[in-house]
Amino acid sequence: MRKFRKVLDGLTTSSPGATLGSPSGGSGAGTPTAAPTPKEIDVQETLLSEDFQLCKTVRHGFPYQPTALAFDPVQKILAIGSRSGGVRILGRPGVDSYCQHEGGAAVLQLQFLINEGALVTACADDTLHLWNLRQRRPAILHSLKFNRERITFCHLPFQSKWLYVGTERGNTHIVNIESFVLSGYVIMWNKAIELSTKTHPGPVVHLSDSPKDEGKLLIGFESGTIVHWDLRGKKADFRIYYDEAIHSVSWHHEGKQFMCSHSDGSLTLWNLRNTTKPFQVTFPHGKVQKDGRKESCKPILKVEYKTCRNSEPFVIFSGGLSYDKAGRRPTLTIMHGKAITVLEMDYPITEFMALCETPYNNEVQEPYAVVVLLEKDLIVVDLTQSSFPVFENPYPMDIHESPVTSTAYFADCPPDIIPVLYSIGAKHKKTGYSQKEWPITGGTWTLGSHAYPEIIITGHADGTIKFWDASAITLQMLYKLKTSKVFEKSKPAEGRAAELVEEDPFAVQMVSWCPQSRMFCVVGISAYIILYRFSKYEANTQIVSLEVRLQCESEDVISPSENENDPCFSEPGSAHSPQHPHRQPSSPGCGTPEGVKPSIPCLKVKDKMVRVPPGYQAELVIQLQWIDGEPPQQITSLDINSAYGLLAFGNCNGLAVVDYLQKTVLLCLSTLDLYGATDPYQRLTRSPRRHRQSTSGLTELPDNQQSFDMERSKSPTSDHINGHYTNPITQPCLAGKPRVPMGPEWPRLTRRGPGRPPFRKAQSAACMEISLPVSHTEATESRENSFSRSRSSSVSSIDRDTKEAITTLQFGESYGRKSDALTSPCLWVGTSLGIVLLIPMSIPTDQEERMEEPVTFGPSGAVLMLKGSVLRFGFLDCMGALIQSPYEVWRDTNAAEDPDRPRKRKLIHFSPSSSQETYGDGHLAVVCSERQAKVFLMPSQSCLYVHNITESSFVLRADVVSVCNSVCLACFCANGHIMTLSLPSLRPLLDVSYLPLTDMRIARTFCFTNGGQALYLGSPTEIQRITFSQEMCDNLQEMLGELFTPIETPEVQNRGFLKGFFGGNAHTFDREELFGEAAAGKASRSLAQHIPGQAGMEGMKVAAGGVVGELARARIALDERGQRLGELEDRTALMMTSAESFSKHAHELMLKCKDKKWYQF
């Protein structure tokens, strides 16, 4: 049990300011009392460093920049290799594994050891890797690095342990898969071709064994040379020299003919009986021109020749289109008999592969589907139907349909939200898919006991929002929302407008979602906010639009003489000052003074009644105005609270608060006005004399203000205590009408020039006081470092033109001022200069009054300071439990209302004192900035703990999350470190260097959530989920799917007597006898280097640990024993034959010599 003591409110008794903080003149419920005496509060911190471990969990989305494809026809699992060295292995939904080569070299080719639970990868760094798939997380068992030759093609025959490897030099090597060492048997290029050939044949582009005879190897060279090599005789049976370069070769299953694809767009069919010329030459997409010549075509990159039992064979190829048709999309052509079907693809084809029923290449193939790997998509075509429909992809391969621009992650969602979103989203799914089940069904996966509702929200460049069900480490699309439908279709801009308008004007910048109330906010890059409500019913609605002028101009700080002559201060209702909000003008020029009109309008919101379907329905759009033809600054922070009915947002110019229930702009202030009349760079001085003066001015701090209840009865515009702003709205207005502050008094109050700074000393002291209780030295350091360069803000230097951005906002129940005894609704504001402001609010509690009476704001009751830009707020009670923000329980506003039981707003409040016996304990406020974290005790605003997170880098993302029934502060730094700190003591628990920040994509999309989880966009097309919880790491094996399942290998079809007799001796070929060390010798050590896998022995133990492993070992042992017994039997038979021959010769010799006398010898 840890004991934490409250720090005295104010200075210590030895300090001069300690005697100056006594209250005076307070009354009402919030009567100020003397500074509380030190009191012990008990917080039991249960989190230890042993509770944290960082590991990747699962990767969702389409593999970025794919390069290779492989399929196991028995296990029915698919592997995809990528340019960055990643390998994705997919099975049935839920079976999804990602593994990464350490070097990051591109994957050139993939080869499954069919039904063996292993995969061979060939990479661009000329290394072969053997992956063990018999464990839930695949690991490398062996690696073989080629030193002198570059790998171009690999081929592994079914049920063989010898891998053929072709190289760029034209040589073919053979690798033992079990030991991963080279055989001494090598097919050199100069032996494969005729001696009379004067040119090099080029790299090996194809290797395959003959279906008729496994002892014959077909080698294809890039130049057009094809060699049929006899492995036993170590010679070429025949050679083919063709004029066009070869890209691929495919056998007929009988082994009597094969087909080649060429660079001129032709297909050639060769018969083994006559190899002098092709049996057939076709240009599938080449037409005969008027002059009789064939039009030139693009290369056919790959062809597959697959036979069927009851129909004509399939010829499937990619490419081959004529060059004259520019702009045509990539195609996959399917030739079935005389029918030719051309399937156009959205992206270039990287690889394709026909899925067949049998793993044997000498049987009728019976293809049933084609997997097409595109540059940015994966599709599977159903070959069993003549229309060739596409299977519905169960994997989330369309995350990148439009580039992801923002993410949000929510764990422990209400359990009813996922079924509701799914039912709404299912109505808008595409149709026309194949009726058959997804053919990739390998592996096993079950819903673990540690699953709980999780939702991931992605925002995209085209303005779409996607809700994903992320429960149980899977990802499934729930619902899709198009935010661009709120706006009218815009016409193409011209001139300067075209230069300023974004390429993606609807790109989603950030989202804010309350799962309990189902309120949803979207911030667009064009400086607008859309507020959505969820409804199960369709409705006719008119979207309300509000325009806000949030622009910091040079005229905002003016002298008193200028104040008197400025017409904006004398004309009532003037809209020139930056804090004036506006409804969308009903007439041209409304809301802007004469001569100052926005030269370019912002996006136009639909002003007619629109029919909206069930789901999220737009209710309110808030747009920042263009000023003098210049676009507004992007919105940097947002928070919405359904219990208060308020929405707050800010940018580098200021802060605005909107009442979305009354559709009214309540507050619109520049950042300078948040502090009253003073420039933020002048409120802290480094002079010791100024420092002492500020300390002596503590009596001017707003500790003796009227209570919150008293402030409600006063006119907010006349209450400008200590230069702080108050609510500009003083009169209730009818809903839907503009609410513009009346009279010149409000602008005069908030635009006080530097010539009249009556409360500058008080403001400086207010900024200092949070550091003084900790230490006098720290106060000095905080003043010197609080305005240091902040990488996430727009601050570049300490000058008068520097803008201070609003970086984070949060509504919650707190103590607005030190003198408050009860909590009240507050808005916490954090800026890019490390300043924290606390703004108390007065919200009518009655439902009818809430819709009519205005929400009022009190003066700022707290000014706290940290190093660097403020990133996150969190609130704990004095027992260390997390305090949630209040919310409104969801109700469907479009549902039919019962007149007997009218619907009322049901609000859920989490008061800091709800779990405490007395109100005096207050609550703890956790504030995290780019460089440090602090814990403050409210309402005294005393800083209990400070922790400098980083000095050399800066924090990108921070959040207060729950882990193991407790809470901690999780941080992600720009140097790639992920850290967790205990709360409230800010004790470091985890600090792991996870990944370097290589681009802004990771910084923009990284987010934490409860349960010790986080995610980020690992590539432009993939979401990477991680966990830093030891408990989840321990349970991860249970949550992941099994890639390998024990399946009996299909038996070879009965070939019949005649086929077996005349079909050659394919099954008598012994590769071990030919390629083994005894016959072929050892390969040169300098040619390739064997590298044992880091998880080699461990992987073997894992594979051998279960029943499957034991069976596999037993089978291998039996096979080896059978081989030895066979060899022993052969030797025994040979000895018996030899003995019989010896006995026969001995008997003949005995008979011959039987009757001879001794002298006859």
Side-chain angles (χ1 to χ4, degrees):
M1 184 74 71
R2 295 183 175 275
K3 306 289 185 181
F4 299 104
R5 292 187 176 275
K6 285 187 176 180
V7 182
L8 282 175
D9 186 2
L11 304 178
T12 57
T13 54
S14 59
S15 169
T19 60
L20 301 175
S22 58
S24 62
S27 62
T31 303
T33 57
T37 57
K39 179 181 178 181
E40 291 186 353
I41 55 175
D42 298 335
V43 177
Q44 183 176 4
E45 291 190 4
T46 58
L47 290 179
L48 304 172
S49 58
E50 290 78 14
D51 296 324
F52 295 90
Q53 181 184 349
L54 189 66
C55 68
K56 296 180 179 179
T57 54
V58 69
R59 198 175 183 98
H60 303 297
F62 180 77
Y64 183 56
Q65 295 180 332
T67 55
L69 183 70
F71 181 71
D72 188 327
V74 179
Q75 289 290 321
K76 294 189 182 301
I77 56 177
L78 187 77
I80 302 173
S82 68
R83 191 175 300 174
S84 60
V87 178
R88 284 282 292 281
I89 304 172
L90 304 171
R92 68 176 66 247
V95 179
D96 187 342
S97 180
Y98 173 79
C99 39
Q100 174 73 38
H101 294 91
E102 286 187 2
V107 178
L108 299 179
Q109 199 174 351
L110 299 167
Q111 285 280 328
F112 274 107
L113 276 66
I114 297 177
N115 204 28
E116 295 292 336
L119 175 71
V120 175
T121 59
C123 296
D125 60 351
D126 307 310
T127 306
L128 298 173
H129 303 275
L130 178 64
W131 293 83
N132 176 25
L133 306 184
R134 292 176 180 252
Q135 56 195 70
R136 300 197 182 209
R137 285 187 171 275
I140 293 179
L141 298 176
H142 301 283
S143 297
L144 187 66
K145 169 73 174 175
F146 280 73
N147 297 323
R148 295 185 296 183
E149 298 193 52
R150 309 215 60 181
I151 299 173
T152 56
F153 195 87
C154 298
H155 171 64
L156 179 65
F158 179 46
Q159 293 182 325
S160 170
K161 66 177 183 179
W162 299 96
L163 174 72
Y164 302 114
V165 181
T167 67
E168 193 175 34
R169 292 186 179 181
N171 303 325
T172 301
H173 301 274
I174 301 172
V175 178
N176 188 321
I177 293 298
E178 293 180 350
S179 60
F180 237 59
V181 295
L182 276 176
S183 167
Y185 192 109
V186 183
I187 305 174
M188 303 299 292
W189 68 271
N190 53 358
K191 299 289 183 66
I193 64 174
E194 291 180 345
L195 296 177
S196 60
T197 306
K198 298 180 179 180
T199 58
H200 191 278
V204 176
V205 295
H206 177 81
L207 292 169
S208 61
D209 53 330
S210 170
K212 187 177 180 180
D213 186 356
E214 293 179 352
K216 304 297 176 65
L217 183 68
L218 192 69
I219 307 173
F221 296 94
E222 188 180 55
S223 62
T225 302
I226 299 175
V227 177
H228 195 254
W229 184 262
D230 184 358
L231 293 170
R232 300 184 193 86
K234 299 183 180 180
K235 60 184 178 64
D237 287 344
F238 63 83
R239 300 177 179 91
I240 296 174
Y241 298 97
Y242 196 67
D243 296 337
E244 295 295 334
I246 292 177
H247 286 281
S248 68
V249 181
S250 182
W251 280 98
H252 188 280
H253 81 276
E254 292 180 350
K256 298 178 181 179
Q257 57 187 13
F258 58 87
M259 184 176 289
C260 301
S261 68
H262 300 277
S263 58
D264 63 346
S266 65
L267 296 174
T268 57
L269 187 62
W270 299 83
N271 198 313
L272 296 191
R273 294 181 180 179
N274 182 12
T275 58
T276 57
K277 64 178 181 178
F279 172 71
Q280 182 181 350
V281 180
T282 58
F283 287 82
H285 295 297
K287 297 179 181 180
V288 180
Q289 297 177 344
K290 294 181 180 180
D291 57 359
R293 293 184 302 173
K294 289 276 187 180
E295 60 181 352
S296 59
C297 297
K298 299 176 182 178
I300 295 179
L301 301 179
K302 183 177 181 181
V303 64
E304 290 209 351
Y305 188 22
K306 302 298 181 183
T307 55
C308 300
R309 189 172 287 105
N310 300 320
S311 64
E312 295 290 328
F314 280 94
V315 177
I316 308 168
F317 62 90
S318 62
L321 294 178
S322 58
Y323 279 106
D324 62 344
K325 296 180 180 178
R328 288 194 62 176
R329 294 193 292 178
T331 60
L332 181 77
T333 305
I334 302 175
M335 300 172 62
H336 190 207
K338 295 183 179 180
I340 300 179
T341 305
V342 179
L343 304 178
E344 290 190 340
M345 304 295 169
D346 294 332
Y347 308 101
I349 298 175
T350 300
E351 177 72 284
F352 75 89
M353 180 175 292
L355 308 186
C356 302
E357 295 288 351
T358 176
Y360 298 96
N361 64 345
N362 57 358
E363 295 180 354
V364 180
Q365 298 298 289
E366 291 290 348
Y368 58 88
V370 178
V371 178
V372 187
L373 179 63
L374 306 178
E375 214 172 65
K376 294 184 179 180
D377 201 1
L378 175 72
I379 64 172
V380 181
V381 181
D382 186 358
L383 293 180
T384 61
Q385 301 182 41
S386 59
S387 59
F388 301 127
V390 175
F391 288 92
E392 185 177 6
N393 198 328
Y395 313 124
M397 293 293 183
D398 58 345
I399 293 176
H400 63 287
E401 187 177 14
S402 175
V404 178
T405 55
S406 65
T407 57
Y409 193 6
F410 299 88
D412 285 331
C413 297
D416 60 333
I417 190 68
I418 291 180
V420 169
L421 288 174
Y422 182 79
S423 62
I424 297 295
K427 299 177 182 178
H428 304 284
K429 281 193 173 182
K430 296 180 180 179
T431 57
Y433 294 109
S434 173
Q435 299 299 318
K436 294 191 175 183
E437 293 185 0
W438 181 254
I440 304 169
T441 58
T444 56
W445 179 78
T446 56
L447 188 64
S449 58
H450 302 278
Y452 45 85
E454 297 178 69
I455 287 181
I456 294 174
I457 301 177
T458 56
H460 300 264
D462 63 352
T464 57
I465 301 287
K466 293 181 181 179
F467 290 77
W468 305 85
D469 178 11
S471 308
I473 71 171
T474 60
L475 198 68
Q476 183 181 9
M477 173 79 124
L478 290 175
Y479 176 70
K480 185 177 180 179
L481 176 66
K482 294 183 179 180
T483 61
S484 59
K485 289 187 175 182
V486 172
F487 302 97
E488 300 280 359
K489 292 184 179 179
S490 57
K491 298 179 181 179
E494 298 179 358
R496 177 160 173 77
E499 298 176 4
L500 295 177
V501 173
E502 296 282 345
E503 293 182 3
D504 299 308
F506 305 108
V508 177
Q509 191 173 347
M510 68 178 76
V511 297
S512 179
W513 186 49
C514 176
Q516 289 79 14
S517 65
R518 303 185 186 176
M519 298 296 295
F520 185 59
C521 267
V522 179
V523 175
I525 199 169
S526 299
Y528 63 81
I529 300 172
I530 308 176
L531 176 66
Y532 289 91
R533 281 187 185 268
F534 186 83
S535 176
K536 296 181 181 179
Y537 307 96
E538 63 179 1
N540 292 318
T541 183
Q542 184 169 6
I543 304 171
V544 180
S545 176
L546 295 176
E547 286 191 4
V548 177
R549 181 185 175 114
L550 201 58
Q551 193 79 5
C552 183
E553 302 172 1
S554 58
E555 293 86 2
D556 286 341
V557 181
I558 56 178
S559 64
S561 59
E562 294 172 340
N563 186 7
E564 296 173 358
N565 299 327
D566 194 339
C568 294
F569 286 84
S570 58
E571 297 179 6
S574 173
H576 185 68
S577 61
Q579 62 272 12
H580 279 273
H582 297 280
R583 295 292 300 270
Q584 186 172 356
S586 56
S587 61
C590 177
T592 48
E594 295 183 6
V596 184
K597 294 183 179 181
S599 59
I600 307 172
C602 51
L603 297 172
K604 181 176 175 54
V605 181
K606 292 181 179 178
D607 53 1
K608 297 180 180 180
M609 294 288 291
V610 291
R611 187 76 172 173
V612 289
Y616 274 102
Q617 301 169 352
E619 178 178 301
L620 176 65
V621 178
I622 305 167
Q623 294 177 285
L624 296 186
Q625 290 182 345
W626 290 51
I627 308 297
D628 297 331
E630 294 295 328
Q633 297 293 325
Q634 293 181 3
I635 296 170
T636 57
S637 56
L638 170 74
D639 193 36
I640 182 174
N641 190 280
S642 57
Y644 301 159
L646 299 179
L647 184 152
F649 64 94
N651 63 5
C652 64
N653 290 330
L655 168 70
V657 180
V658 174
D659 184 342
Y660 66 79
L661 296 178
Q662 299 185 28
K663 309 297 188 294
T664 305
V665 180
L666 297 176
L667 200 66
C668 183
L669 288 177
S670 66
T671 314
L672 301 182
D673 293 326
L674 289 174
Y675 306 99
T678 56
D679 189 311
Y681 297 111
Q682 296 179 356
R683 63 182 185 272
L684 285 183
T685 57
R686 300 181 185 178
S687 170
R689 181 179 303 175
R690 293 287 182 90
H691 173 65
R692 288 193 296 270
Q693 291 174 356
S694 298
T695 306
S696 63
L698 285 173
T699 53
E700 298 180 24
L701 289 177
D703 283 337
N704 55 351
Q705 297 164 355
Q706 285 89 346
S707 66
F708 207 68
D709 295 332
M710 291 291 291
E711 290 168 3
R712 295 181 184 177
S713 61
K714 297 180 62 178
S715 172
T717 56
S718 63
D719 187 3
H720 52 278
I721 302 173
N722 287 354
H724 290 288
Y725 64 87
T726 54
N727 180 25
I729 308 302
T730 61
Q731 302 173 0
C733 301
L734 297 177
K737 292 187 177 181
R739 301 203 171 195
V740 181
M742 304 301 293
E745 184 177 6
W746 169 250
R748 192 173 294 134
L749 292 175
T750 57
R751 294 169 63 108
R752 187 191 310 274
R756 292 188 296 169
F759 301 104
R760 181 170 301 182
K761 287 195 296 184
Q763 185 67 45
S764 300
C767 297
M768 285 170 26
E769 62 176 342
I770 49 93
S771 300
L772 290 176
V774 179
S775 69
H776 184 77
T777 306
E778 184 185 342
T780 307
E781 293 177 355
S782 67
R783 288 196 304 275
E784 294 176 353
N785 297 328
S786 61
F787 297 119
S788 60
R789 172 70 173 100
S790 173
R791 288 174 175 84
S792 69
S793 69
S794 60
V795 181
S796 58
S797 62
I798 304 176
D799 53 32
R800 295 186 55 83
D801 296 328
T802 302
K803 292 184 178 181
E804 183 177 7
I806 306 297
T807 55
T808 184
L809 296 165
Q810 186 160 342
F811 289 102
E813 296 286 319
S814 186
Y815 301 89
R817 287 172 296 273
K818 292 182 180 181
S819 57
D820 289 350
L822 298 176
T823 59
S824 61
C826 294
L827 174 62
W828 288 72
V829 182
T831 74
S832 57
L833 297 183
I835 307 299
V836 177
L837 298 170
L838 183 56
I839 305 172
M841 302 178 294
S842 174
I843 302 176
T845 55
D846 183 75
Q847 181 172 349
E848 295 182 359
E849 293 182 0
R850 177 64 187 85
M851 299 303 297
E852 297 178 359
E853 296 295 324
V855 175
T856 58
F857 294 80
S860 176
V863 180
L864 315 174
M865 292 182 61
L866 291 88
K867 297 179 183 178
S869 176
V870 180
L871 299 179
R872 184 67 63 181
F873 298 119
F875 307 111
L876 311 175
D877 61 21
C878 288
M879 301 300 293
L882 187 64
I883 302 174
Q884 299 182 18
S885 297
Y887 63 86
E888 176 189 1
V889 178
W890 175 74
R891 57 192 177 95
D892 199 333
T893 55
N894 294 334
E897 187 171 352
D898 186 357
D900 298 332
R901 299 180 60 187
R903 292 193 302 269
K904 293 185 178 181
R905 298 180 68 214
K906 183 179 180 182
L907 307 182
I908 305 297
H909 288 271
F910 299 92
S911 174
S913 58
S914 59
S915 61
Q916 300 162 198
E917 296 179 358
T918 62
Y919 294 147
D921 283 341
H923 73 89
L924 303 176
V926 181
V927 186
C928 184
S929 72
E930 285 181 330
R931 299 190 180 276
Q932 66 177 187
K934 289 187 178 183
V935 176
F936 297 95
L937 178 62
M938 305 300 291
S940 68
Q941 304 172 17
S942 304
C943 183
L944 297 182
Y945 284 90
V946 180
H947 178 75
N948 292 322
I949 300 174
T950 177
E951 294 294 340
S952 59
S953 183
F954 59 98
V955 179
L956 287 168
R957 289 290 182 272
D959 208 348
V960 178
V961 295
S962 61
V963 181
C964 301
N965 299 320
S966 187
V967 290
C968 69
L969 177 64
C971 304
F972 173 60
C973 295
N975 58 6
H977 283 246
I978 292 181
M979 293 176 284
T980 59
L981 306 173
S982 67
L983 290 177
S985 65
L986 299 179
R987 177 171 42 91
L989 297 172
L990 175 74
D991 188 353
V992 177
S993 179
Y994 175 63
L995 53 83
L997 180 63
T998 56
D999 51 29
M1000 286 302 297
R1001 181 188 66 248
I1002 298 175
R1004 187 179 66 247
T1005 58
F1006 197 101
C1007 52
F1008 293 100
T1009 190
N1010 292 329
Q1013 298 190 79
L1015 67 79
Y1016 60 93
L1017 212 61
S1019 72
T1021 62
E1022 295 169 286
I1023 291 177
Q1024 178 68 60
R1025 292 166 67 179
I1026 63 175
T1027 181
F1028 48 91
S1029 167
Q1030 179 67 57
E1031 181 182 3
M1032 188 167 184
C1033 289
D1034 295 339
N1035 299 324
L1036 189 59
Q1037 290 293 329
E1038 178 188 342
M1039 301 168 70
L1040 294 173
E1042 288 274 5
L1043 293 172
F1044 179 80
T1045 53
I1047 301 175
E1048 189 173 349
T1049 303
E1051 295 183 357
V1052 184
Q1053 295 179 3
N1054 187 8
R1055 306 180 65 197
F1057 173 75
L1058 293 177
K1059 284 188 176 180
F1061 186 78
F1062 295 104
N1065 53 351
H1067 295 281
T1068 61
F1069 178 60
D1070 187 1
R1071 295 186 179 89
E1072 180 69 31
E1073 182 180 348
L1074 195 59
F1075 304 144
E1077 186 177 331
K1082 291 184 179 182
S1084 172
R1085 292 184 178 181
S1086 62
L1087 185 60
Q1089 176 187 0
H1090 176 258
I1091 305 172
Q1094 294 182 355
M1097 295 304 298
E1098 182 181 354
M1100 290 296 290
K1101 291 177 182 177
V1102 172
V1107 178
V1108 175
E1110 293 295 338
L1111 290 175
R1113 290 180 61 191
R1115 191 191 69 179
I1116 294 172
L1118 285 174
D1119 290 343
E1120 293 176 352
R1121 184 170 179 268
Q1123 285 182 350
R1124 290 169 185 161
L1125 287 175
E1127 293 174 359
L1128 180 62
E1129 186 178 354
D1130 292 341
R1131 291 176 184 174
T1132 305
L1134 185 62
M1135 291 176 64
M1136 289 179 64
T1137 303
S1138 178
E1140 289 177 0
S1141 178
F1142 178 77
S1143 174
K1144 181 180 178 180
H1145 288 297
H1147 184 68
E1148 290 176 354
L1149 183 62
M1150 183 267 296
L1151 292 177
K1152 185 177 180 180
C1153 301
K1154 180 179 180 182
D1155 298 330
K1156 288 187 178 181
K1157 302 297 182 181
W1158 62 271
Y1159 53 83
Q1160 292 178 328
F1161 287 97

